Amino acid sequence: MLEARGITVRLGRRAVLCGVDFEALAGHLTAIVGPNGSGKTTLLRALTGDLSHGGRVRLNGQDIADLRPWALAGLRGVLPQATPLAFPFTAAEVVRLGLTGGVEAGAAGLVPQALARVGLAGFEGRYYQELSGGEQQRVQLARVLAQVWEPVAHGAPRWLFLDEPVSSLDIGHQLQVMEIARDFADRGGGVVAVMHDLNLTAMFADRVALISEGRVLGLGLPGAVLRDDLLSAAYRCPIRVNTPPARGTYLLPHAAGRVAAE
Amino acid sequence: MVAISPDSAPTVQGWDRGAQARRVTLLLVVALGGMSVFSLTVGAAGTSPWAVLADMIAGREVSLADRVVLFEIRLPRLVLGALVGAALAVSGAVMQGLFRNPLADPGLVGVSAGAGLGAIAAIVLGGLLPAGLAAALGYYAVPVAAFLGGWAATLVLYGIATRRGRTSVATMLLGGIALGALAGALSGILVYMADDAQLRDLTFWGLGSLAGATWAKLAAAVPLMVLALVAAPMLARGLNGLALGEAAAFHIGIPVQRLKAVAILTVAGATGAAVAVSGGIGFVGIVVPHLLRLATGPDHRYLLVNSALLGAALLILADVISRIVIAPAELPIGIVTAVLGGPFFLWILLRKRGVLDL
Ligand SMILES: Nc1ncnc2c1ncn2[C@@H]1O[C@H](COP(=O)(O)OP(=O)(O)OP(=O)(O)O)[C@@H](O)[C@H]1O
Ligand SMILES: [Mg+2]
């Protein structure tokens, strides 16, 4: 279980997060949604131990401030919103960097498996810098997967923190990556993902946290948070949630006066 | 789901440049050995190490002159050359990993500028020292001053760049430029004050040389260089992770702040010691790691070890060349490394242009 209480973060002179409470369960995919600049990345960075912040974050019952970097690395993997890379490493060498910390440290056989998992089988020897943006992002995901390959280790769940994991992917790979995250949670791990695509969120998330201006407007089941009033207030634009007769929920932005051609 | 156990993990061919890097390691060990033997055979005196060795094995008396030439002149010089070359190359590789930039060199942490200022101060102002202290330091005054100057500069820079327990590498880079300019200006003032004899000393110190290596001089500088050579391989995983940026390095379990502190201080120690005993030998710290990165990739687990070996072998070679081109006189080794290294480096860059955009 991931439990954060009273997270307060100041960056420069700005209070970016003001006493945020957040929690996520192992076995769940918990999505964090909200407009640009609302503090999603900042919250994720507080949860992963990157930022100094007020308040407490407990992961599997342990305060992350008390955990050494390598102990944390065995417990959770993090996919940042963007990852720069210095030096001409190959895709496989980047993925292998994920094996530095985790329990599987040294299992080089994981490298091709992790690449295959994100649909990049055969990319091992390609230079990272020569890959497309979406391919690079999937290589980074493979690195994170290699780090926490088994969702449960020594009886304790492990965690994936993903900051906009599908932002530069095509629709097919968006689904593939969400399936990977879903599968990680279904096998007992915990997933916390910052999302911009509300439809994918509605499709895959067990819980949704809606953030606006550094505060949590709602945290709960998708149906309880993805509501016309909450979303419209948070994103400052009219949003209508539709439930088609066939099971499931989908959302469309609702620009007044505009109707898509039949 | 496939069960993973580290022992039975299949090895994957093709993308793993480790095997190739290990072959290069082997090759470099052989080259270093060959270069060392060659270096012992070359010199103004006609001493042959083989003849001396044969005499010693046969139990014959070895002439005092031969013994001195071999064990008091050539051997310490060889060891000094190997250590300085290894220390400079490894320091360069570590700095490049730390700054995430293939053009970084140990000079960036201020150590070269500080050491240069220290050496110049010792040469120009040495006469102002109390007679007792000057006598005690003897001709160690210059290396000691260079070493202290280098460390002082690095510590100041590290202090400037560290706030609330986090060191900003970018601040260090910019601070290093400012500090370098300041040290250069102070050095300029000292040079302006120097007399002709001191100017000559200054020029030669700046060009770098392994001449005058003695076991006593070695004993002072070796520990710091050896410390860096031993510590560097332990930084390899951390430096690899740092290629992903500091945040992601932390995510994969690397204690980033400790890594930075250890890297900066060991590099400052090793470079300070190297500059102190051999003056300004440029180029090794940038060229050697760069060549190896082109050959076997940027993985620091191999890069650091191979840099040490190649740096040592190249500096021994440069020293041999410096001793024979204008024999019986000697060319300063810094000139040799620049004359050989510069064009070679350019050639490599031209050949690989467009292939690897670093
Ligand atoms: N280093 C910083 N210094 C000052 N302010 C910052 C810093 N980093 C972020 N901020 C501010 O904090 C707020 C929250 O940023 P954050 O990156 O968490 O947003 P986000 O919700 O992830 O947005 P996006 O959807 O664009 O990724 C923004 O207003 C941003 O301008
Ligand atoms: Mg963000």
Side-chain angles (χ1 to χ4, degrees), chain A residues 20 151 209:
Chain A
V20 167

Side-chain angles (χ1 to χ4, degrees), chain A residues 156-179:
Chain A
R158 293 160 113 192
W159 295 79
L160 273 181
F161 293 90
L162 312 172
D163 197 350
E164 298 190 23
V166 299
S167 56
S168 54
L169 304 184
D170 65 68
I171 189 161
H173 285 115
Q174 289 186 1
L175 288 174
Q176 182 185 27
V177 165
M178 292 312 295
E179 297 284 2

Side-chain angles (χ1 to χ4, degrees), chain A residues 48-50 69 73 76 78 83-90 92-93 96-97 101 107 112-113 124 127 130 143 147, chain B residues 1 4 9-10 12 15-17 96 100-102 166 240 243-244 250-255 293 298-299 301 355-356 358:
Chain A
T48 56
D50 290 14
R76 58 100 181 94
V78 185
T83 311
L85 181 73
F87 304 117
F89 285 96
T90 61
E93 287 168 340
R96 194 172 49 197
L97 290 177
Q113 283 188 59
E124 284 82 356
Y127 284 110
E130 293 174 0
R143 166 179 69 78
Q147 183 183 338
Chain B
M1 180 75 345
I4 302 298
V12 181
W15 56 267
D16 194 355
R17 293 183 271 186
Q96 287 144 26
R100 303 159 36 76
N101 186 325
R166 286 181 107 114
N240 280 346
L244 295 166
F250 168 69
H251 295 152
I252 62 174
I254 289 160
R293 241 182 254 116
D299 189 333
R301 290 175 305 165
V355 178
L356 293 178
L358 299 182

